[in-house]
Amino acid sequence: MTTALIVGDIQRGITDGYPFARQVVPPLTELLPRARETGTLVVFVRFAMRDNGTDLPGGALYRSFFDAGDAFHEGSPGTELTLPVAEEDVVVLKRRASAFAGTDLDLVLRARGIRHVAVAGVATSAMVTATCYDAADRGYQVTVLRDGCADSDQSVNDVLLDKVFPSRGFTVMSCAEWT
């Protein structure tokens, strides 16, 4: 199989703390067994920062996550994945929006001969967008799973899924349509 499912930021601190994020849990929970049955590599990407803040860039965005406390601090319960992880799955720790930025994700995908990625997670305007553009820049075919994505601003979510992603050559479909 040359396909990977990348699920980003579906972790306790986000699904417990941000109501919009909870809506992706049921479709992704249903999708995971089907993806694994087809031999798709399932990759969970979780977001965490070091407790001492040494990985904080300048600017207010990441500072706000860091200041939110345990929800985003490495080793805290807030960074534990919400969805069930199987033995054959891969878990990647990231410290930026893209699942590729500063991680070994590209190495893992290339070692497995992956050429196509399906991306799901929260937020659509952050992790999903950054990961999709990064994947495309690295030569992967990209599919975005519509009901596997959510954003705190529904209008932004809809514009990305209905206009921006298709205009960039990304396929957009539901979790049920994908496998």
Side-chain angles (χ1 to χ4, degrees):
M1 178 58 78
T2 60
T3 302
L5 169 62
I6 299 172
V7 179
D9 298 353
I10 308 301
Q11 58 195 62
R12 300 267 177 229
I14 295 173
T15 57
D16 292 352
Y18 300 88
F20 75 89
R22 291 185 204 115
Q23 69 190 19
V24 304
V25 173
L28 291 174
T29 299
E30 290 178 20
L31 174 63
L32 288 171
R34 292 193 324 267
R36 291 178 184 120
E37 285 171 13
T38 66
T40 298
L41 176 65
V42 176
V43 179
F44 291 100
V45 184
R46 60 189 188 88
F47 177 75
M49 291 182 270
R50 290 181 177 89
D51 283 336
N52 64 6
T54 58
D55 46 17
L56 281 174
L61 176 63
Y62 288 97
R63 171 57 67 183
S64 68
F65 291 133
F66 183 80
D67 291 345
D70 287 345
F72 301 109
H73 286 210
E74 189 173 1
S76 73
T79 64
E80 293 173 7
L81 295 169
T82 303
L83 297 168
V85 179
E87 185 177 330
E88 67 270 19
D89 297 343
V90 174
V91 178
V92 173
L93 172 66
K94 70 182 182 79
R95 300 182 193 283
R96 298 292 183 267
S98 171
F100 290 94
T103 73
D104 63 354
L105 178 58
D106 192 50
L107 176 84
V108 169
L109 298 179
R110 293 198 188 284
R112 294 287 300 268
I114 301 298
R115 294 191 314 261
H116 179 249
V117 295
V119 181
V122 294
T124 311
S125 62
M127 190 293 293
V128 174
T129 299
T131 299
C132 287
Y133 280 113
D134 218 348
D137 283 350
R138 295 165 190 269
Y140 296 99
Q141 281 185 292
V142 177
T143 297
V144 182
L145 301 178
R146 174 180 299 278
D147 53 339
C149 298
D151 199 278
S152 61
D153 185 327
Q154 189 62 46
S155 64
V156 169
N157 187 71
D158 294 345
V159 166
L160 287 166
L161 292 169
D162 296 333
K163 298 201 180 290
V164 176
F165 293 158
S167 76
R168 300 305 188 259
F170 305 156
T171 302
V172 179
M173 63 178 53
S174 72
C175 289
E177 293 172 308
W178 183 63
T179 53

Short mmCIF file of all heavy atoms in Angstrom, two decimals, residues 65-122:
data_model
loop_
_atom_site.label_atom_id
_atom_site.label_comp_id
_atom_site.label_asym_id
_atom_site.label_seq_id
_atom_site.Cartn_x
_atom_site.Cartn_y
_atom_site.Cartn_z
N PHE A 65 -0.66 29.01 23.06
CA PHE A 65 -0.76 27.57 23.30
C PHE A 65 0.06 27.19 24.53
O PHE A 65 -0.39 26.43 25.39
CB PHE A 65 -0.28 26.77 22.09
CG PHE A 65 -1.17 26.87 20.90
CD1 PHE A 65 -0.62 27.12 19.65
CD2 PHE A 65 -2.54 26.72 21.00
CE1 PHE A 65 -1.43 27.21 18.53
CE2 PHE A 65 -3.36 26.81 19.89
CZ PHE A 65 -2.80 27.06 18.66
N PHE A 66 1.27 27.70 24.60
CA PHE A 66 2.14 27.40 25.73
C PHE A 66 1.50 27.86 27.03
O PHE A 66 1.48 27.13 28.03
CB PHE A 66 3.50 28.08 25.55
CG PHE A 66 4.47 27.76 26.64
CD1 PHE A 66 5.16 26.56 26.64
CD2 PHE A 66 4.69 28.65 27.67
CE1 PHE A 66 6.06 26.26 27.65
CE2 PHE A 66 5.59 28.36 28.69
CZ PHE A 66 6.27 27.17 28.67
N ASP A 67 0.93 29.06 27.02
CA ASP A 67 0.32 29.62 28.23
C ASP A 67 -0.98 28.92 28.61
O ASP A 67 -1.45 29.07 29.74
CB ASP A 67 0.06 31.12 28.06
CG ASP A 67 1.36 31.92 28.03
OD1 ASP A 67 2.42 31.38 28.41
OD2 ASP A 67 1.31 33.10 27.60
N ALA A 68 -1.55 28.13 27.69
CA ALA A 68 -2.77 27.37 28.01
C ALA A 68 -2.48 26.26 29.01
O ALA A 68 -3.40 25.66 29.56
CB ALA A 68 -3.38 26.79 26.73
N GLY A 69 -1.22 25.99 29.26
CA GLY A 69 -0.85 25.03 30.30
C GLY A 69 -0.75 23.61 29.80
O GLY A 69 -0.33 23.36 28.68
N ASP A 70 -1.16 22.69 30.65
CA ASP A 70 -0.96 21.27 30.40
C ASP A 70 -1.59 20.75 29.12
O ASP A 70 -1.20 19.69 28.63
CB ASP A 70 -1.47 20.45 31.59
CG ASP A 70 -0.57 20.57 32.80
OD1 ASP A 70 0.58 21.04 32.64
OD2 ASP A 70 -1.00 20.19 33.90
N ALA A 71 -2.55 21.45 28.57
CA ALA A 71 -3.19 20.98 27.34
C ALA A 71 -2.18 20.78 26.22
O ALA A 71 -2.37 19.94 25.34
CB ALA A 71 -4.28 21.95 26.89
N PHE A 72 -1.09 21.53 26.23
CA PHE A 72 -0.11 21.48 25.16
C PHE A 72 1.31 21.24 25.64
O PHE A 72 2.25 21.40 24.87
CB PHE A 72 -0.17 22.78 24.34
CG PHE A 72 -1.52 23.03 23.75
CD1 PHE A 72 -2.33 24.03 24.23
CD2 PHE A 72 -2.00 22.25 22.71
CE1 PHE A 72 -3.58 24.27 23.69
CE2 PHE A 72 -3.24 22.46 22.15
CZ PHE A 72 -4.04 23.48 22.65
N HIS A 73 1.50 20.85 26.90
CA HIS A 73 2.84 20.63 27.42
C HIS A 73 3.21 19.15 27.30
O HIS A 73 2.44 18.28 27.73
CB HIS A 73 2.94 21.08 28.87
CG HIS A 73 2.98 22.57 29.01
ND1 HIS A 73 3.62 23.19 30.04
CD2 HIS A 73 2.47 23.58 28.26
CE1 HIS A 73 3.50 24.50 29.92
NE2 HIS A 73 2.80 24.75 28.84
N GLU A 74 4.37 18.90 26.75
CA GLU A 74 4.85 17.54 26.54
C GLU A 74 4.77 16.72 27.83
O GLU A 74 5.17 17.18 28.90
CB GLU A 74 6.30 17.59 26.04
CG GLU A 74 6.83 16.27 25.59
CD GLU A 74 8.20 16.39 24.94
OE1 GLU A 74 8.76 17.50 24.86
OE2 GLU A 74 8.70 15.34 24.51
N GLY A 75 4.23 15.52 27.69
CA GLY A 75 4.11 14.61 28.83
C GLY A 75 2.85 14.79 29.64
O GLY A 75 2.55 13.98 30.52
N SER A 76 2.07 15.82 29.36
CA SER A 76 0.84 16.05 30.12
C SER A 76 -0.30 15.22 29.53
O SER A 76 -0.26 14.84 28.36
CB SER A 76 0.47 17.53 30.13
OG SER A 76 -0.02 17.90 28.85
N PRO A 77 -1.34 14.94 30.32
CA PRO A 77 -2.49 14.18 29.80
C PRO A 77 -3.15 14.86 28.60
O PRO A 77 -3.74 14.19 27.76
CB PRO A 77 -3.45 14.13 30.99
CG PRO A 77 -2.59 14.31 32.19
CD PRO A 77 -1.46 15.21 31.75
N GLY A 78 -3.04 16.17 28.48
CA GLY A 78 -3.64 16.88 27.37
C GLY A 78 -3.05 16.54 26.02
O GLY A 78 -3.69 16.74 24.98
N THR A 79 -1.84 16.00 26.00
CA THR A 79 -1.21 15.64 24.73
C THR A 79 -1.42 14.17 24.36
O THR A 79 -0.93 13.72 23.33
CB THR A 79 0.29 15.97 24.74
OG1 THR A 79 0.95 15.17 25.71
CG2 THR A 79 0.53 17.45 25.01
N GLU A 80 -2.18 13.45 25.20
CA GLU A 80 -2.50 12.05 24.88
C GLU A 80 -3.54 12.01 23.77
O GLU A 80 -4.47 12.82 23.73
CB GLU A 80 -3.03 11.33 26.11
CG GLU A 80 -2.00 11.17 27.20
CD GLU A 80 -2.59 10.59 28.49
OE1 GLU A 80 -3.78 10.19 28.50
OE2 GLU A 80 -1.85 10.56 29.49
N LEU A 81 -3.41 11.05 22.87
CA LEU A 81 -4.32 10.93 21.74
C LEU A 81 -5.72 10.53 22.19
O LEU A 81 -5.88 9.71 23.10
CB LEU A 81 -3.78 9.94 20.73
CG LEU A 81 -2.48 10.38 20.07
CD1 LEU A 81 -1.85 9.25 19.29
CD2 LEU A 81 -2.71 11.59 19.18
N THR A 82 -6.72 11.08 21.54
CA THR A 82 -8.12 10.78 21.83
C THR A 82 -8.55 9.48 21.16
O THR A 82 -9.37 8.75 21.69
CB THR A 82 -9.02 11.94 21.34
OG1 THR A 82 -8.59 13.15 21.96
CG2 THR A 82 -10.47 11.70 21.65
N LEU A 83 -8.01 9.20 19.98
CA LEU A 83 -8.38 8.03 19.19
C LEU A 83 -7.50 6.84 19.54
O LEU A 83 -6.35 7.02 19.96
CB LEU A 83 -8.26 8.36 17.71
CG LEU A 83 -9.19 9.47 17.21
CD1 LEU A 83 -8.79 9.93 15.82
CD2 LEU A 83 -10.63 9.00 17.23
N PRO A 84 -8.01 5.62 19.33
CA PRO A 84 -7.23 4.43 19.66
C PRO A 84 -6.08 4.20 18.68
O PRO A 84 -6.25 4.28 17.47
CB PRO A 84 -8.25 3.29 19.55
CG PRO A 84 -9.29 3.80 18.61
CD PRO A 84 -9.34 5.29 18.80
N VAL A 85 -4.91 3.92 19.23
CA VAL A 85 -3.71 3.68 18.44
C VAL A 85 -3.44 2.18 18.42
O VAL A 85 -3.41 1.54 19.47
CB VAL A 85 -2.49 4.42 19.04
CG1 VAL A 85 -1.23 4.15 18.23
CG2 VAL A 85 -2.78 5.92 19.13
N ALA A 86 -3.24 1.62 17.22
CA ALA A 86 -2.91 0.21 17.08
C ALA A 86 -1.39 0.05 17.04
O ALA A 86 -0.65 1.01 16.78
CB ALA A 86 -3.53 -0.35 15.80
N GLU A 87 -0.95 -1.17 17.27
CA GLU A 87 0.49 -1.45 17.32
C GLU A 87 1.21 -1.06 16.02
O GLU A 87 2.34 -0.58 16.04
CB GLU A 87 0.72 -2.94 17.60
CG GLU A 87 2.16 -3.30 17.78
CD GLU A 87 2.34 -4.77 18.14
OE1 GLU A 87 1.45 -5.35 18.78
OE2 GLU A 87 3.39 -5.32 17.77
N GLU A 88 0.54 -1.24 14.89
CA GLU A 88 1.17 -0.94 13.60
C GLU A 88 1.13 0.54 13.21
O GLU A 88 1.73 0.95 12.22
CB GLU A 88 0.52 -1.78 12.48
CG GLU A 88 -0.93 -1.42 12.18
CD GLU A 88 -1.96 -2.19 12.99
OE1 GLU A 88 -1.62 -2.76 14.05
OE2 GLU A 88 -3.13 -2.21 12.56
N ASP A 89 0.44 1.35 13.98
CA ASP A 89 0.35 2.78 13.69
C ASP A 89 1.64 3.50 14.08
O ASP A 89 2.45 2.98 14.85
CB ASP A 89 -0.81 3.42 14.48
CG ASP A 89 -2.17 2.87 14.11
OD1 ASP A 89 -2.30 2.24 13.04
OD2 ASP A 89 -3.11 3.05 14.90
N VAL A 90 1.80 4.69 13.55
CA VAL A 90 2.95 5.53 13.86
C VAL A 90 2.44 6.78 14.58
O VAL A 90 1.41 7.34 14.20
CB VAL A 90 3.68 5.95 12.55
CG1 VAL A 90 4.78 6.95 12.83
CG2 VAL A 90 4.22 4.73 11.83
N VAL A 91 3.15 7.19 15.62
CA VAL A 91 2.81 8.42 16.34
C VAL A 91 4.00 9.37 16.21
O VAL A 91 5.14 8.99 16.49
CB VAL A 91 2.50 8.15 17.83
CG1 VAL A 91 2.19 9.46 18.56
CG2 VAL A 91 1.33 7.17 17.97
N VAL A 92 3.70 10.58 15.76
CA VAL A 92 4.72 11.60 15.54
C VAL A 92 4.43 12.78 16.45
O VAL A 92 3.29 13.23 16.55
CB VAL A 92 4.71 12.06 14.06
CG1 VAL A 92 5.65 13.23 13.84
CG2 VAL A 92 5.06 10.90 13.13
N LEU A 93 5.46 13.27 17.10
CA LEU A 93 5.35 14.47 17.93
C LEU A 93 5.77 15.67 17.11
O LEU A 93 6.83 15.66 16.48
CB LEU A 93 6.25 14.35 19.16
CG LEU A 93 6.38 15.60 20.03
CD1 LEU A 93 5.04 15.95 20.69
CD2 LEU A 93 7.46 15.40 21.08
N LYS A 94 4.92 16.70 17.10
CA LYS A 94 5.27 17.93 16.37
C LYS A 94 5.19 19.11 17.32
O LYS A 94 4.50 19.07 18.33
CB LYS A 94 4.36 18.13 15.16
CG LYS A 94 2.92 18.48 15.48
CD LYS A 94 2.11 18.62 14.20
CE LYS A 94 0.69 19.01 14.47
NZ LYS A 94 0.50 20.42 14.76
N ARG A 95 5.87 20.17 16.90
CA ARG A 95 5.89 21.39 17.71
C ARG A 95 5.49 22.62 16.90
O ARG A 95 5.59 23.74 17.38
CB ARG A 95 7.28 21.58 18.31
CG ARG A 95 7.67 20.40 19.20
CD ARG A 95 9.02 20.59 19.85
NE ARG A 95 9.52 19.37 20.43
CZ ARG A 95 9.13 18.84 21.59
NH1 ARG A 95 8.18 19.41 22.30
NH2 ARG A 95 9.68 17.74 22.05
N ARG A 96 5.03 22.39 15.69
CA ARG A 96 4.56 23.45 14.80
C ARG A 96 3.26 23.01 14.14
O ARG A 96 2.81 21.90 14.35
CB ARG A 96 5.62 23.77 13.73
CG ARG A 96 6.93 24.29 14.29
CD ARG A 96 6.76 25.68 14.90
NE ARG A 96 8.00 26.25 15.36
CZ ARG A 96 8.45 26.14 16.61
NH1 ARG A 96 7.78 25.47 17.52
NH2 ARG A 96 9.59 26.73 16.95
N ALA A 97 2.71 23.83 13.28
CA ALA A 97 1.42 23.51 12.65
C ALA A 97 1.53 22.30 11.73
O ALA A 97 0.70 21.39 11.80
CB ALA A 97 0.89 24.72 11.89
N SER A 98 2.51 22.26 10.85
CA SER A 98 2.62 21.17 9.89
C SER A 98 3.13 19.90 10.56
O SER A 98 4.03 19.93 11.39
CB SER A 98 3.59 21.54 8.77
OG SER A 98 3.87 20.42 7.95
N ALA A 99 2.56 18.78 10.14
CA ALA A 99 3.02 17.48 10.64
C ALA A 99 4.43 17.15 10.17
O ALA A 99 5.08 16.27 10.72
CB ALA A 99 2.06 16.38 10.18
N PHE A 100 4.91 17.88 9.15
CA PHE A 100 6.24 17.64 8.62
C PHE A 100 7.32 18.51 9.27
O PHE A 100 8.49 18.15 9.27
CB PHE A 100 6.26 17.90 7.11
CG PHE A 100 5.50 16.88 6.30
CD1 PHE A 100 4.18 17.10 5.96
CD2 PHE A 100 6.11 15.71 5.89
CE1 PHE A 100 3.48 16.17 5.21
CE2 PHE A 100 5.41 14.77 5.15
CZ PHE A 100 4.09 15.00 4.80
N ALA A 101 6.95 19.67 9.78
CA ALA A 101 7.92 20.65 10.27
C ALA A 101 8.69 20.12 11.48
O ALA A 101 8.13 19.93 12.55
CB ALA A 101 7.22 21.96 10.63
N GLY A 102 9.97 19.84 11.28
CA GLY A 102 10.83 19.41 12.37
C GLY A 102 10.58 18.00 12.87
O GLY A 102 11.04 17.64 13.95
N THR A 103 9.86 17.18 12.10
CA THR A 103 9.57 15.81 12.52
C THR A 103 10.22 14.82 11.55
O THR A 103 10.75 15.20 10.52
CB THR A 103 8.05 15.53 12.56
OG1 THR A 103 7.55 15.43 11.21
CG2 THR A 103 7.30 16.61 13.32
N ASP A 104 10.08 13.54 11.87
CA ASP A 104 10.59 12.49 10.98
C ASP A 104 9.49 11.91 10.10
O ASP A 104 9.65 10.84 9.51
CB ASP A 104 11.28 11.39 11.79
CG ASP A 104 10.35 10.65 12.73
OD1 ASP A 104 9.17 11.04 12.88
OD2 ASP A 104 10.80 9.66 13.34
N LEU A 105 8.37 12.61 9.95
CA LEU A 105 7.25 12.09 9.18
C LEU A 105 7.64 11.76 7.73
O LEU A 105 7.32 10.68 7.23
CB LEU A 105 6.07 13.07 9.20
CG LEU A 105 4.85 12.66 8.37
CD1 LEU A 105 4.29 11.32 8.82
CD2 LEU A 105 3.77 13.74 8.46
N ASP A 106 8.32 12.65 7.06
CA ASP A 106 8.70 12.40 5.67
C ASP A 106 9.59 11.16 5.56
O ASP A 106 9.41 10.34 4.66
CB ASP A 106 9.41 13.63 5.09
CG ASP A 106 9.57 13.56 3.59
OD1 ASP A 106 8.59 13.27 2.88
OD2 ASP A 106 10.70 13.80 3.11
N LEU A 107 10.51 11.00 6.49
CA LEU A 107 11.38 9.82 6.52
C LEU A 107 10.55 8.54 6.64
O LEU A 107 10.77 7.57 5.91
CB LEU A 107 12.37 9.94 7.69
CG LEU A 107 13.28 8.75 7.91
CD1 LEU A 107 14.49 8.85 7.00
CD2 LEU A 107 13.72 8.70 9.36
N VAL A 108 9.59 8.53 7.55
CA VAL A 108 8.73 7.36 7.76
C VAL A 108 7.93 7.05 6.50
O VAL A 108 7.85 5.90 6.06
CB VAL A 108 7.78 7.59 8.97
CG1 VAL A 108 6.71 6.52 9.05
CG2 VAL A 108 8.59 7.64 10.27
N LEU A 109 7.34 8.07 5.90
CA LEU A 109 6.52 7.86 4.70
C LEU A 109 7.36 7.33 3.54
O LEU A 109 6.97 6.39 2.85
CB LEU A 109 5.81 9.15 4.30
CG LEU A 109 4.81 9.72 5.32
CD1 LEU A 109 4.21 11.02 4.79
CD2 LEU A 109 3.72 8.72 5.68
N ARG A 110 8.51 7.93 3.33
CA ARG A 110 9.37 7.49 2.22
C ARG A 110 9.91 6.07 2.46
O ARG A 110 10.03 5.29 1.52
CB ARG A 110 10.49 8.48 1.99
CG ARG A 110 9.93 9.81 1.50
CD ARG A 110 10.93 10.70 0.85
NE ARG A 110 10.37 12.01 0.56
CZ ARG A 110 9.54 12.31 -0.42
NH1 ARG A 110 9.13 11.37 -1.23
NH2 ARG A 110 9.10 13.55 -0.59
N ALA A 111 10.20 5.72 3.70
CA ALA A 111 10.68 4.37 4.02
C ALA A 111 9.62 3.33 3.70
O ALA A 111 9.94 2.19 3.35
CB ALA A 111 11.08 4.28 5.49
N ARG A 112 8.36 3.71 3.79
CA ARG A 112 7.25 2.80 3.49
C ARG A 112 6.77 2.89 2.04
O ARG A 112 5.83 2.23 1.66
CB ARG A 112 6.07 3.12 4.42
CG ARG A 112 6.32 2.85 5.90
CD ARG A 112 6.33 1.34 6.22
NE ARG A 112 5.08 0.70 5.89
CZ ARG A 112 4.07 0.53 6.73
NH1 ARG A 112 4.17 0.96 7.97
NH2 ARG A 112 2.98 -0.06 6.35
N GLY A 113 7.39 3.75 1.25
CA GLY A 113 7.00 3.88 -0.16
C GLY A 113 5.68 4.61 -0.35
O GLY A 113 5.00 4.44 -1.37
N ILE A 114 5.31 5.45 0.60
CA ILE A 114 4.04 6.19 0.54
C ILE A 114 4.14 7.27 -0.54
O ILE A 114 5.11 8.02 -0.60
CB ILE A 114 3.72 6.83 1.91
CG1 ILE A 114 3.62 5.76 3.00
CG2 ILE A 114 2.46 7.69 1.83
CD1 ILE A 114 2.54 4.72 2.82
N ARG A 115 3.10 7.35 -1.37
CA ARG A 115 3.02 8.39 -2.39
C ARG A 115 1.77 9.25 -2.26
O ARG A 115 1.67 10.30 -2.87
CB ARG A 115 3.06 7.75 -3.78
CG ARG A 115 4.40 7.07 -4.08
CD ARG A 115 4.54 6.67 -5.54
NE ARG A 115 3.38 6.00 -6.08
CZ ARG A 115 3.24 4.68 -6.21
NH1 ARG A 115 4.20 3.87 -5.84
NH2 ARG A 115 2.15 4.16 -6.74
N HIS A 116 0.81 8.79 -1.49
CA HIS A 116 -0.46 9.50 -1.34
C HIS A 116 -0.78 9.63 0.14
O HIS A 116 -0.64 8.65 0.89
CB HIS A 116 -1.57 8.71 -2.04
CG HIS A 116 -2.90 9.34 -1.92
ND1 HIS A 116 -3.91 8.78 -1.17
CD2 HIS A 116 -3.41 10.49 -2.43
CE1 HIS A 116 -4.98 9.56 -1.24
NE2 HIS A 116 -4.70 10.60 -1.99
N VAL A 117 -1.19 10.82 0.57
CA VAL A 117 -1.59 11.02 1.96
C VAL A 117 -3.01 11.56 2.00
O VAL A 117 -3.41 12.38 1.18
CB VAL A 117 -0.64 11.96 2.72
CG1 VAL A 117 0.76 11.36 2.85
CG2 VAL A 117 -0.57 13.35 2.11
N ALA A 118 -3.76 11.05 2.96
CA ALA A 118 -5.07 11.60 3.30
C ALA A 118 -4.89 12.30 4.64
O ALA A 118 -4.33 11.72 5.57
CB ALA A 118 -6.12 10.50 3.39
N VAL A 119 -5.37 13.53 4.73
CA VAL A 119 -5.14 14.34 5.91
C VAL A 119 -6.46 14.65 6.59
O VAL A 119 -7.44 15.03 5.95
CB VAL A 119 -4.40 15.65 5.55
CG1 VAL A 119 -4.13 16.49 6.80
CG2 VAL A 119 -3.09 15.35 4.82
N ALA A 120 -6.45 14.51 7.91
CA ALA A 120 -7.61 14.85 8.75
C ALA A 120 -7.07 15.44 10.04
O ALA A 120 -5.93 15.22 10.41
CB ALA A 120 -8.45 13.61 9.04
N GLY A 121 -7.93 16.20 10.72
CA GLY A 121 -7.52 16.75 12.01
C GLY A 121 -8.05 18.15 12.24
O GLY A 121 -8.89 18.64 11.49
N VAL A 122 -7.53 18.75 13.26
CA VAL A 122 -7.93 20.11 13.62
C VAL A 122 -6.66 20.93 13.88
O VAL A 122 -5.64 20.39 14.26
CB VAL A 122 -8.83 20.11 14.88
CG1 VAL A 122 -10.15 19.44 14.60
CG2 VAL A 122 -8.16 19.45 16.07
#
